[in-house]
Amino acid sequence: FSCPRALKVPSYLNYRFLGEKDCGAPCEPGRLYGLMYFGPEELRFSRTWIGIWSVLCCASTLFTVLTYLVDTQGTKREGCTILFMMLYFFGMASSIWWVILSLTWFLAAGMKWGHEAIEANSQYFHLAAWAVPAIKTITILALGQVDGDVLSGVCFVGINNVDALRGFVLAPLFVYLFIGTSFLLAGFVSLFRIRTIMKHDGTKTEKLEKLMVRIGIFSVLYTVPATIVIACYFYEQAFREQWERSWVTQSCKSYAIPCPSHSSHHPTMSPDFTVFMIKYLMTLIVGITSGFWIWSGKTLNSWRKFYTRLTNSKQGETTV
């Protein structure tokens, strides 16, 4: 089989058809054999057939979900579980995407990979970014390590268990930040070498230097808040047991429980409220500053074009 010209597709799509690279399967009902094995009548019947059964399936599943909402069972913690899953899953996924961004930057700047070569491995990037957080999220749910945070009012992991905090939050965030920063520094070293060679040859380096400045600012805007968050978690896990011991010592009489022996030998300690406020701030700042890469004139131009298309379409509907 040799791919005909009508079925040729751009190479970046990475399509294959009958073993031929950059070739797409036919999907033209009006052409003879345009649907490969089926004809236009079979296509119309299949759409109707699938549509009917899809509507019935949707109605049945919707009725099932509504029935569950009317009369729930379970642990009455569904909202807490869903909130934890959203926060933890997407938080860890964002950290892994940071590593992937740094990796692709290193491959492009240091290893001279082209856009097509990086695009060809995109499925592995998506697998790592979504599968790893999903596995960790399921593991935490299976171990029952979801707790409520008194200050933020959300559900997360490691609120009452130091080992869970170290294993599922502190260690992954540290590893992701370390790997991503390493790739970034390696990419910068390669760019500095390229800049030195270009200057030696008398080539202008303004565009390269502008790119390096933008990437440098973006790196700082991410790594600094992420490092502060890790430092806050490290402070929390280091002193959590002493805070708990001090709390038990101070509140044992009011709760009418046995007070710990030799409590006077241990100094009373309580967490620094400011550290927790900084942790929440830096966690949210990362999400805000991560959009720095699109803070440019090109972004404004894209929104201007979108607004123009929107207004033109509305004017066209009014005219009609």
Side-chain angles (χ1 to χ4, degrees), residues 74-121:
T75 60
K76 305 299 183 183
R77 294 180 57 190
E78 294 83 1
C80 179
T81 301
I82 294 174
L83 183 58
F84 156 74
M85 292 173 64
M86 293 178 62
L87 290 175
Y88 186 81
F89 176 81
F90 289 107
M92 289 297 161
S94 67
S95 298
I96 297 179
W97 275 118
W98 153 255
V99 176
I100 294 172
L101 175 65
S102 304
L103 172 61
T104 54
W105 152 253
F106 169 72
L107 294 176
M111 306 300 292
K112 305 299 185 296
W113 280 36
H115 173 74
E116 292 79 7
I118 296 175
E119 184 72 22
N121 293 278

Side-chain angles (χ1 to χ4, degrees), residues 4-40:
R5 182 177 298 178
L7 300 182
K8 285 287 186 179
V9 296
S11 59
Y12 67 85
L13 294 176
N14 200 26
Y15 282 176
R16 283 184 178 271
F17 177 61
L18 297 182
E20 282 290 302
K21 190 178 180 181
D22 301 332
C23 191
C27 187
E28 300 178 82
R31 181 190 290 266
L32 183 63
Y33 305 114
L35 295 173
M36 295 188 69
Y37 315 114
F38 308 105

Side-chain angles (χ1 to χ4, degrees), residues 218-296:
F218 176 76
S219 304
V220 171
L221 289 176
Y222 181 90
T223 55
V224 171
T227 303
I228 294 176
V229 169
I230 292 174
C232 292
Y233 277 124
F234 187 84
Y235 163 79
E236 187 175 345
Q237 63 86 34
F239 297 102
R240 174 81 66 77
E241 293 181 358
Q242 299 182 39
W243 300 338
E244 293 173 349
R245 189 185 304 117
S246 298
W247 180 84
V248 172
T249 302
Q250 292 174 338
S251 61
C252 58
K253 294 182 178 179
S254 61
Y255 283 97
I257 59 175
C259 293
S261 57
H262 308 292
S263 58
S264 59
H265 298 289
H266 300 283
T268 301
M269 292 188 62
S270 60
D272 190 338
F273 178 75
T274 306
V275 174
F276 285 83
M277 293 301 102
I278 292 175
K279 180 184 72 172
Y280 299 136
L281 173 64
M282 292 297 109
T283 301
L284 299 174
I285 285 291
V286 171
I288 297 172
T289 57
S290 61
F292 167 80
W293 194 252
I294 61 171
W295 298 348
S296 64

Side-chain angles (χ1 to χ4, degrees), residues 44-267:
R44 282 192 289 269
F45 179 81
S46 68
R47 298 292 171 81
T48 305
W49 179 262
I50 295 172
I52 293 173
W53 289 107
S54 297
V55 171
L56 294 175
C57 177
C58 180
S60 176
T61 52
L62 181 60
F63 180 73
T64 303
V65 172
L66 291 176
T67 303
Y68 171 77
L69 293 177
V70 169
D71 183 18
T72 56
Q73 294 87 24
T75 60
K76 305 299 183 183
R77 294 180 57 190
E78 294 83 1
C80 179
T81 301
I82 294 174
L83 183 58
F84 156 74
M85 292 173 64
M86 293 178 62
L87 290 175
Y88 186 81
F89 176 81
F90 289 107
M92 289 297 161
S94 67
S95 298
I96 297 179
W97 275 118
W98 153 255
V99 176
I100 294 172
L101 175 65
S102 304
L103 172 61
T104 54
W105 152 253
F106 169 72
L107 294 176
M111 306 300 292
K112 305 299 185 296
W113 280 36
H115 173 74
E116 292 79 7
I118 296 175
E119 184 72 22
N121 293 278
S122 61
Q123 64 270 23
Y124 301 111
F125 299 150
H126 281 277
L127 178 64
W130 303 122
V132 174
I135 293 173
K136 292 195 295 184
T137 302
I138 294 172
T139 303
I140 293 171
L141 291 173
L143 296 176
Q145 294 296 335
V146 180
D147 302 313
D149 188 353
V150 176
L151 287 178
S152 63
V154 301
C155 295
F156 206 65
V157 60
I159 304 298
N160 297 321
N161 190 317
V162 177
D163 293 332
L165 177 65
R166 293 167 179 165
F168 291 109
V169 180
L170 183 59
L173 290 180
F174 177 81
V175 171
Y176 299 151
L177 182 63
F178 176 78
I179 296 175
T181 305
S182 300
F183 282 131
L184 269 178
L185 293 177
F188 269 113
V189 170
S190 300
L191 275 190
F192 273 113
R193 291 176 180 173
I194 295 173
R195 176 175 172 272
T196 303
I197 295 174
M198 291 175 65
K199 281 199 168 185
H200 185 268
D201 296 339
T203 308
K204 293 183 178 180
T205 60
E206 286 82 2
K207 290 186 177 180
L208 179 62
E209 291 172 351
K210 185 178 179 181
L211 174 65
M212 292 172 64
V213 169
R214 285 197 68 194
I215 294 176
I217 295 175
F218 176 76
S219 304
V220 171
L221 289 176
Y222 181 90
T223 55
V224 171
T227 303
I228 294 176
V229 169
I230 292 174
C232 292
Y233 277 124
F234 187 84
Y235 163 79
E236 187 175 345
Q237 63 86 34
F239 297 102
R240 174 81 66 77
E241 293 181 358
Q242 299 182 39
W243 300 338
E244 293 173 349
R245 189 185 304 117
S246 298
W247 180 84
V248 172
T249 302
Q250 292 174 338
S251 61
C252 58
K253 294 182 178 179
S254 61
Y255 283 97
I257 59 175
C259 293
S261 57
H262 308 292
S263 58
S264 59
H265 298 289
H266 300 283

